[in-house]
Amino acid sequence: MANKLDKLKEMTTVVADTGDFNSIKKYQPTDATTNPSLIFKAATEQMEYQSLVEEAIQYGQSKAQDFDSQKGHIIDKLMVNFGCEILKIVPRRVSTEVDARLSFDIQGSIDKGHKLISMYEKAGIDRERILIKLASTWEGIKAAEQLEKEGIHCNMTLMFSMPQAIAAAEVNATLISPFVGRIMDWYKKSENKESYAPAEDPGVKSVTEIFNYYKKFGYNTEIMGASFRNVGEITELAGCDLLTIAPKFLEELQSSEGELPQKLHIEKAKESDIKKLLFDEKSFRFALNDNAMGIEKLAEGIRKFTADLIKLEQFIQEKIQKA
């Protein structure tokens, strides 16, 4: 009997949510995603990746004299280095994140997207294999709109609400990554609950709502559930376009046998009774602000990614000083 990971792969594209190459090789996902937190963990905890760090440092030092001027180049090169290595393993795409400190800077995000794509192309990687990850702020969504027009594909991250999902689809973002587990975290705290049955999990319900909306109205933007807290959340979203899954849950799925029914269906979504919504900047900001969970988790996510990016910069600076 096939294991549940293999069964899931029959109906959903499985993506590895890690910067660890060995885990990617083991579970053979189609795509992989990274973020500052994952890169920080891989770069600081595993010696096998130090050559990628050293190469990034040398690159940054060739671009500027002082560390404050070098660090942006070093981080960009490190992200691209990891992405290039991951693309030697996965057959399709890798997501590379834009600096979270640019979350409210449209032109800064566009410029960073251009730079990352240029670095990948200089490394011999076609832009079709790269997703530029942007925060799902109004500014991030407008940056994605411009980048998509230029043939640069975007993955809208820190996604917690329907207004974000709808606005991203309206600008033809290639992919969105709604954060299932972080949504559940907020509701557990807010409702003082220990847990939810998978079908009643607020994060699962959010992704299901977005899936039904997208398929009902024929959007091309793909949905990739992310940030899971348990395998039940994953299996309840079987049939979603993509799911990005941490190695510990990939292992749990691979080690489990049994039925894995498809829960999300395009045909059922098309039959659902859903009203179409559109957002301009004012209505988007109001709707997001009116969603306490959405606005709080977005802000928290930006802070966390920024903090991990700063820790990565500090790690690199200390490494340079010791050299």
Side-chain angles (χ1 to χ4, degrees):
M1 181 180 290
N3 62 60
K4 288 187 177 180
L5 180 59
D6 287 339
K7 289 181 178 178
L8 182 63
K9 288 179 179 179
E10 292 175 0
M11 63 190 96
T12 291
T13 297
V14 172
V15 180
D17 193 11
T18 181
D20 178 14
F21 308 147
N22 292 325
S23 292
I24 297 170
K25 290 175 184 176
K26 181 177 181 180
Y27 301 110
Q28 300 182 318
T30 301
D31 294 2
T33 59
T34 63
N35 62 44
S37 303
L38 295 173
I39 297 297
F40 174 75
K41 181 177 177 62
T44 58
E45 295 182 6
Q46 293 173 265
M47 288 302 297
E48 63 192 285
Y49 303 139
Q50 292 312 300
S51 62
L52 301 182
V53 178
E54 295 290 350
E55 184 186 346
I57 290 171
Q58 291 172 13
Y59 175 84
Q61 290 176 331
S62 74
K63 296 291 185 180
Q65 293 299 313
D66 62 281
F67 183 73
D68 284 342
S69 302
Q70 294 168 358
K71 62 184 179 182
H73 297 294
I74 295 172
I75 296 297
D76 291 341
K77 181 62 173 172
L78 184 59
M79 297 292 181
V80 171
N81 281 353
F82 268 87
C84 287
E85 291 299 313
I86 287 169
L87 288 172
K88 294 177 183 178
I89 307 168
V90 301
R92 197 167 64 149
R93 303 180 301 198
V94 69
S95 293
T96 297
E97 191 138 352
V98 164
D99 190 326
R101 290 167 291 194
L102 297 172
S103 295
F104 303 101
D105 183 343
I106 297 174
Q107 191 58 50
S109 295
I110 292 171
D111 292 345
K112 184 67 76 173
H114 287 161
K115 182 181 179 186
L116 292 169
I117 286 294
S118 175
M119 293 173 74
Y120 272 113
E121 290 181 336
K122 286 178 181 176
I125 304 295
D126 191 284
R127 65 176 58 188
E128 290 298 316
R129 301 193 70 197
I130 308 301
L131 290 171
I132 298 298
K133 287 179 79 173
L134 297 156
S136 298
T137 56
W138 178 259
E139 292 80 5
I141 291 166
K142 298 309 286 185
E145 181 176 27
Q146 178 59 39
L147 291 170
E148 291 283 357
K149 288 177 181 177
E150 300 173 19
I152 297 173
H153 302 304
C154 298
N155 172 354
M156 305 311 299
T157 188
L158 296 176
M159 172 77 62
F160 301 101
S161 69
M162 279 299 289
Q164 292 172 294
I166 292 170
E170 285 291 329
V171 301
N172 294 311
T174 297
L175 183 74
I176 65 166
S177 300
F179 277 25
V180 179
R182 295 194 195 187
I183 293 173
M184 184 194 68
D185 292 344
W186 190 92
Y187 279 99
K188 282 175 66 176
K189 184 177 180 180
S190 176
E191 297 178 353
N192 195 27
K193 293 191 70 167
E194 288 293 321
S195 62
Y196 296 88
E200 298 303 314
D201 185 302
V204 169
K205 291 169 74 173
S206 177
V207 174
T208 301
E209 182 183 13
I210 293 169
F211 179 91
N212 289 337
Y213 187 94
Y214 275 23
K215 305 313 176 186
K216 170 75 173 181
F217 296 111
Y219 289 108
N220 292 323
T221 301
E222 295 179 297
I223 305 151
M224 181 171 71
S227 178
F228 294 106
R229 298 293 182 258
N230 56 68
V231 165
E233 290 179 322
I234 296 167
T235 57
E236 197 64 31
L237 292 174
C240 192
D241 299 327
L242 306 96
L243 297 174
T244 181
I245 305 171
K248 66 177 180 178
F249 296 134
L250 291 171
E251 174 64 33
E252 190 172 341
L253 288 164
Q254 192 175 70
S255 302
S256 302
E257 294 185 351
E259 296 302 315
L260 183 62
Q262 184 168 342
K263 296 299 181 80
L264 302 185
H265 300 268
I266 295 175
E267 296 75 18
K268 289 183 180 179
K270 289 180 177 178
E271 296 171 359
S272 57
D273 183 19
I274 304 172
K275 180 182 177 182
K276 190 165 188 178
L277 300 172
L278 294 174
F279 293 95
D280 60 11
E281 181 177 355
K282 291 179 182 178
S283 58
F284 172 88
R285 292 190 187 281
F286 186 86
L288 182 55
N289 189 72
D290 200 40
N291 183 328
M293 178 277 298
I295 197 72
E296 289 174 22
K297 297 307 287 186
L298 173 61
E300 178 186 82
I302 291 170
R303 289 195 301 270
K304 177 170 174 48
F305 283 160
T306 298
D308 284 338
L309 200 55
I310 291 170
K311 286 192 289 185
L312 183 56
E313 290 172 348
Q314 291 171 341
F315 164 75
I316 290 168
Q317 185 174 23
E318 291 169 3
K319 192 175 184 69
I320 291 172
Q321 290 170 344
K322 291 177 182 178

